[in-house]
Amino acid sequence: MFASVFVIALGLCYCSRASKPVKGAEIEVRSGSVDLFEGNMLELRCKLKAGNHVSYKWLLNGRLVSQSLLHDDRLLINRTTSQDSGSYRCVASNSFNQTDFFTSNSTEVVITVREPVKGAEIEVRSGSVDLFEGNMLELRCKLKAGNHVSYKWLLNGQLVSQSLLHDDRLLINRTTSQDSGSYRCVASNSFNQTDFFTSNSTEVVITVREPVKGAEIEVRSGSVDLFEGNMLELRCKLKAGNHVSYKWLLNGQLVSQSLLHDDRLLINRTTSQDSGSYRCVASNSFNQTDFFTSNSTEVVITVRDLVSTPNISFTVLKEDFQNYSAVVTCRSTRGTPPVTFSLYNSTEVIASVTVEEQFATFKVPLILGQDLGFLQCQARNGDNATYSEKIPLEVVPVGGPVKMPYTYDSGENYDVIGVTFYCKAEKGTHPRYQWFLNGTLLDDRGSFYYVDHQPPEMAMLMLSVGDSSAGTYHCEVSDSFDNTTAISSRRLYLDKHTLNRLPVWVVAVVFGSFTFLILLVSVCCGLGVVFRRRHYGEKSLLDFEMERMTPVYYGKLDLSHYNEDTDVVNAARWGEVDQASLDSVDEWPQIEEEKKTLEDEPAEEP
Ligand SMILES: *[C@@H]1O[C@H](CO)[C@@H](O)[C@H](O)[C@H]1NC(C)=O
Ligand SMILES: *[C@@H]1O[C@H](CO)[C@@H](O)[C@H](O)[C@H]1NC(C)=O
Ligand SMILES: *[C@@H]1O[C@H](CO)[C@@H](O)[C@H](O)[C@H]1NC(C)=O
C-alpha cells in the first residue's frame, strides 16, 4: 500500500516533471539597449513562461547562431561587430520520452550594432567623368566600413539638392554644364545621437560639356572709335558653352595669338593698323569627335591716327595796289580727320578751323618790308595737339642788283663742256626766277639744259656746252606775288669757242709770271721757298676777306672784251678748279676759295 503510494507519487512527480512543455519563450536584452556600438557586449536571454529540460537555439536573420556563443539560455557576444546586427529569435524546446517534442519561438528582437563610417570613396557608376550635356550622371558613395549611414554630397563645396540623392547614390538624369565641377561625398553616422562619425571622399571632377552658343563681342575698353595709342580690349561673350577655345579675325585674317588672353583680345597701344571689322569664333568639342562653333557678329573698330607735327609756310597774295596778304598753310602729313588747325601769332590765336583734311589755310594781312612777328600752326585731333616751328612774318620785296655768276666743268683735254649759271638778287624773301636765252624765256628743262630753283636763296641753270647752247643769257628775279617788279641780271654771251679760247695776253701774263718765278728762284735759292710760302699765305688771307664781303662775287676779273650787243667772255682755265665740288651748294666756301668764277661785265644795253 505504502509502496504503491510512493510509486504513484514518484510517477506523479515524474509525470509532473515531464509534463511541463516549453511555453512563452521571450527574449530579454540583458545587456540593456537594442542599439549598440561596435565593441559593446550583447547579452540576450531566452526567458520561458514554463518548461524544463529545455534546449535552446538562436537565429539571427533566420540563420542559426554559432553554438559557441550560447551559454544555457543566454547568447553572449563580448565584442559586437556590425555583423551582429539583425533580427534575433530564440527557439526553446524540450521533449518527453524522445517522442513528444515541444517548442516555443520567441518574437523577434532587432539588435543594431553601429559601426563608424570609414573610407568613403566616389564610384562613377555612369562610366566617364567627361560627359556631354544631356547624359546621365550616377555617382555612388562607397564605404570601407559603416552602417546606418547618412549621406551628403557637395559640388564645388556647395550642398547638392536632397532630391538628387538616393541612399548612397547621386543621380542626375539629364546633366547640364551647371553639373560640372568637383564632387565629394560625406558619409556619417552616429551612436545614440551622441557620437558622430564622418568620412569625406576625395574629390572627383566631372566635366559636362556644352556646345558653344551665342558668341558676341563685348567692347570692354569702351568705345569702338579710338585714337592710336589707346588700349583696345574685346571679349568674346557666350550664351552657352564651356571648355571653349577662341579665335579672333580682323577683316577676315587671323589675329596673332600673342594678343589673346582666354576669351579676351587685348591691344595695349593701338595703331590705325588695328582698325577694321572684328569677329570672334568660339569652339569646343566633345571627346575630340563632335565639334561645335559659334561666330559672333562683326564689330567695327576705328583707330584714328593722331595728327603729326604740322608744317607751316605762306605765300604772298597781292590783293590790290599796296594791299597784301599772307596765305598761310598749315599741313600735317598724317592724322585722321577731322583735324582742328589753329594759327598763332607771337602772342595769341589768330584763327582756328576744323577740317576734313590734313591741311588748312589762313589769310593774314601783310605790310611789305615790315617785321610782323612770328606765326605758328597748331594741329589737334583727339586729346593731342602738335605745333609747327615758328616762322617770321616778314616779306621783303626783291631788290637788286641781280647777279649771274657761273662756274664751268672741263672735259679730258681741258675743253669746257658744261656751265652752271647762278642767279641771285641782293634781297627778297619771295623771289621768282626766270632764265632767258637770246631774250626767250627758258622752260625748266630743254635739250641742252635744265633749271634748278632753290628758293628763296638762288636758282641754277645747268648747260652742256655745244652748238645749240650758244647765245646770250640772262636771268630775271621778281616777287612771286607781283611779276611787275622783275629785275634783270646783266646779259652774257657764251659759245664754246669763246669759252675755250685762251686770250693772248693771258698767255703773256702766265708766261711772264713763270719767267719771273724762275728768275726769283735762281736769285733767292734756299730763301725762295720760305718767301713763297709766306707770300701765298698772305694772299689766301686776302682772298678770304674779300669773300666774306661779297659772298658770291669776289674776284672781279676783267677777262672779257665786248662786242656790240653782248659781253663776250673768254674764260681762262685754272688747273686747280675742282669741278665736282661745284655741284654742291654746301661747298660754296670751298668753291669761293679754290675756284675762279667769272663775273659778267655790265651790259651795254638793258
Ligand atoms: C543613450 O542615450 C540616452 C540618453 O540620451 C542614455 O540614457 C543611454 O544610457 C544612452 N545609451 C548608451 C548605450 O549610451
Ligand atoms: C570617346 O571616344 C573614345 C574613342 O575615341 C571612345 O572609346 C569613348 O567611348 C568616347 N567616350 C564617350 C563618352 O563618348
Ligand atoms: C642766239 O643768237 C645768236 C646770235 O646772236 C645765234 O648765233 C644763236 O644761234 C642764237 N641761239 C639760239 C638758241 O637761238
Side-chain angles (χ1 to χ4, degrees):
M1 175 70 186
F2 177 77
S4 72
V5 168
F6 177 77
V7 166
I8 288 164
L10 190 70
L12 273 174
C13 177
Y14 184 83
C15 209
S16 77
R17 233 171 52 116
S19 66
K20 277 191 180 167
V22 286
K23 215 168 70 186
E26 219 174 290
I27 293 176
E28 178 192 7
V29 184
R30 290 175 65 95
S31 53
S33 174
V34 295
D35 205 350
L36 316 175
F37 192 42
E38 65 165 7
N40 289 155
M41 185 194 73
L42 174 66
E43 184 179 359
L44 303 177
R45 185 167 154 253
C46 196
K47 270 192 345 187
L48 294 175
K49 284 219 165 63
N52 47 13
H53 303 279
V54 181
S55 63
Y56 297 90
K57 282 191 306 186
W58 288 82
L59 299 172
L60 168 55
N61 299 328
R63 299 170 68 98
L64 265 181
V65 171
S66 158
Q67 206 66 27
S68 65
L69 300 174
L70 309 185
H71 306 271
D72 192 25
D73 58 354
R74 289 173 306 119
L75 180 154
L76 182 68
I77 305 171
N78 279 317
R79 295 183 57 77
T80 51
T81 71
S82 61
Q83 309 289 314
D84 302 321
S85 291
S87 179
Y88 284 85
R89 179 194 293 275
C90 75
V91 180
S93 55
N94 58 5
S95 65
F96 180 60
N97 220 7
Q98 304 300 325
T99 54
D100 296 311
F101 291 92
F102 304 96
T103 296
S104 177
N105 279 286
S106 74
T107 55
E108 297 202 328
V109 166
V110 175
I111 296 295
T112 304
V113 180
R114 295 180 191 267
E115 184 186 33
V117 287
K118 216 164 68 186
E121 218 175 286
I122 292 177
E123 177 191 8
V124 183
R125 291 176 66 96
S126 51
S128 174
V129 295
D130 205 350
L131 315 176
F132 195 44
E133 61 163 13
N135 290 156
M136 186 195 71
L137 174 65
E138 183 180 359
L139 304 178
R140 188 176 148 240
C141 195
K142 269 191 348 188
L143 296 175
K144 286 221 166 59
N147 52 10
H148 304 276
V149 178
S150 65
Y151 296 91
K152 280 190 308 186
W153 289 81
L154 300 173
L155 168 54
N156 299 327
Q158 302 281 319
L159 264 182
V160 171
S161 157
Q162 204 68 24
S163 65
L164 301 173
L165 309 186
H166 305 270
D167 192 27
D168 59 353
R169 289 173 310 121
L170 181 153
L171 181 68
I172 303 172
N173 279 316
R174 295 185 55 80
T175 49
T176 71
S177 60
Q178 309 288 315
D179 301 320
S180 290
S182 182
Y183 284 87
R184 181 192 288 280
C185 76
V186 180
S188 54
N189 59 5
S190 64
F191 177 56
N192 203 16
Q193 307 301 329
T194 52
D195 296 309
F196 290 91
F197 303 92
T198 297
S199 177
N200 282 287
S201 74
T202 53
E203 299 203 324
V204 167
V205 175
I206 299 292
T207 303
V208 182
R209 294 180 191 268
E210 186 186 29
V212 287
K213 219 165 64 184
E216 219 176 288
I217 291 177
E218 176 191 11
V219 184
R220 290 174 66 95
S221 49
S223 175
V224 296
D225 201 344
L226 40 141
F227 277 99
E228 61 176 341
N230 288 152
M231 187 193 73
L232 175 65
E233 184 179 359
L234 303 178
R235 190 175 146 239
C236 195
K237 272 193 341 187
L238 296 175
K239 285 225 167 55
N242 52 10
H243 304 276
V244 179
S245 63
Y246 296 91
K247 279 191 310 188
W248 289 81
L249 301 173
L250 169 55
N251 298 328
Q253 301 282 318
L254 265 183
V255 171
S256 158
Q257 204 67 25
S258 64
L259 300 174
L260 310 185
H261 306 270
D262 192 30
D263 58 353
R264 290 174 311 121
L265 181 153
L266 183 69
I267 304 173
N268 279 317
R269 294 185 57 79
T270 50
T271 70
S272 55
Q273 306 287 312
D274 302 319
S275 292
S277 180
Y278 284 85
R279 180 192 288 279
C280 77
V281 180
S283 54
N284 61 3
S285 66
F286 176 56
N287 204 15
Q288 308 300 327
T289 53
D290 297 311
F291 290 91
F292 304 92
T293 295
S294 178
N295 281 286
S296 75
T297 55
E298 300 206 325
V299 166
V300 175
I301 298 290
T302 307
V303 181
R304 296 175 187 275
D305 280 327
L306 290 175
V307 72
S308 64
T309 303
N311 275 323
I312 184 168
S313 64
F314 71 85
T315 56
V316 180
L317 183 67
K318 186 175 183 180
E319 304 273 11
D320 53 54
F321 180 69
Q322 290 295 19
N323 252 341
Y324 297 91
S325 296
V327 179
V328 185
T329 302
C330 301
R331 185 184 294 276
S332 290
T333 51
R334 63 190 292 273
T336 308
V339 179
T340 301
F341 287 100
S342 302
L343 184 65
Y344 287 75
N345 68 9
S346 307
T347 53
E348 59 190 353
V349 182
I350 302 173
S352 196
V353 65
T354 301
V355 291
E356 285 299 324
E357 282 154 317
Q358 290 176 341
F359 71 94
T361 56
F362 301 95
K363 217 186 225 184
V364 180
L366 194 65
I367 301 166
L368 294 190
Q370 247 188 53
D371 180 358
L372 299 169
F374 288 94
L375 289 176
Q376 189 181 26
C377 291
Q378 183 204 59
R380 177 188 284 277
N381 70 356
D383 299 331
N384 164 61
T386 57
Y387 294 87
S388 72
E389 58 174 353
K390 292 178 173 175
I391 59 166
L393 180 55
E394 183 178 12
V395 176
V396 178
V398 163
V402 170
K403 297 188 174 176
M404 190 178 69
Y406 70 93
T407 57
Y408 52 81
D409 298 335
S410 299
E412 270 182 8
N413 45 7
Y414 303 107
D415 285 346
V416 172
I417 55 166
V419 169
T420 302
F421 285 110
Y422 303 90
C423 185
K424 186 168 171 43
E426 195 165 271
K427 17 177 234 175
T429 50
H430 289 68
R432 185 179 61 144
Y433 298 97
Q434 289 178 310
W435 295 95
F436 296 87
L437 170 55
N438 286 355
T440 306
L441 181 65
L442 294 176
D443 294 332
D444 279 354
R445 181 173 275 275
S447 58
F448 59 92
Y449 72 91
Y450 73 91
V451 167
D452 184 10
H453 285 180
Q454 298 177 344
E457 284 82 17
M458 62 164 189
M460 286 192 276
L461 172 65
M462 277 154 270
L463 299 177
S464 70
V465 172
D467 291 334
S468 50
S469 69
T472 304
Y473 289 85
H474 81 279
C475 74
E476 286 182 9
V477 187
S478 60
D479 284 316
S480 61
F481 49 88
D482 184 0
N483 52 16
T484 63
T485 58
I487 303 173
S488 176
S489 71
R490 282 161 287 194
R491 289 156 195 254
L492 185 64
Y493 178 81
L494 199 129
D495 70 25
K496 74 175 173 191
H497 305 295
T498 53
L499 275 170
N500 285 310
R501 194 167 65 225
L502 205 57
V504 172
W505 71 267
V506 172
V507 174
V509 167
V510 172
F511 183 74
S513 302
F514 186 66
T515 314
F516 175 71
L517 201 64
I518 290 174
L519 210 65
L520 209 65
V521 168
S522 59
V523 169
C524 298
C525 279
L527 284 169
V529 175
V530 177
F531 177 79
R532 268 188 74 204
R533 202 172 276 165
R534 224 173 70 199
H535 178 70
Y536 184 77
E538 281 164 8
K539 201 177 169 195
S540 298
L541 190 63
L542 192 66
D543 288 347
F544 182 66
E545 299 274 86
M546 284 171 68
E547 284 149 17
R548 281 174 52 134
M549 289 185 292
T550 56
V552 178
Y553 295 77
Y554 40 91
K556 289 193 187 273
L557 298 175
D558 186 10
L559 297 176
S560 57
H561 64 270
Y562 314 137
N563 65 15
E564 223 177 331
D565 302 329
T566 55
D567 307 338
V568 175
V569 174
N570 300 295
R573 250 189 258 108
W574 301 80
E576 61 273 39
V577 171
D578 174 12
Q579 298 297 341
S581 63
L582 288 178
D583 296 340
S584 163
V585 176
D586 291 344
E587 295 180 29
W588 268 47
Q590 277 112 313
I591 295 170
E592 287 161 3
E593 272 178 52
E594 295 174 13
K595 320 281 181 298
K596 302 299 177 207
T597 302
L598 306 180
E599 191 196 344
D600 49 316
E601 283 302 305
E604 289 295 276
E605 53 178 32

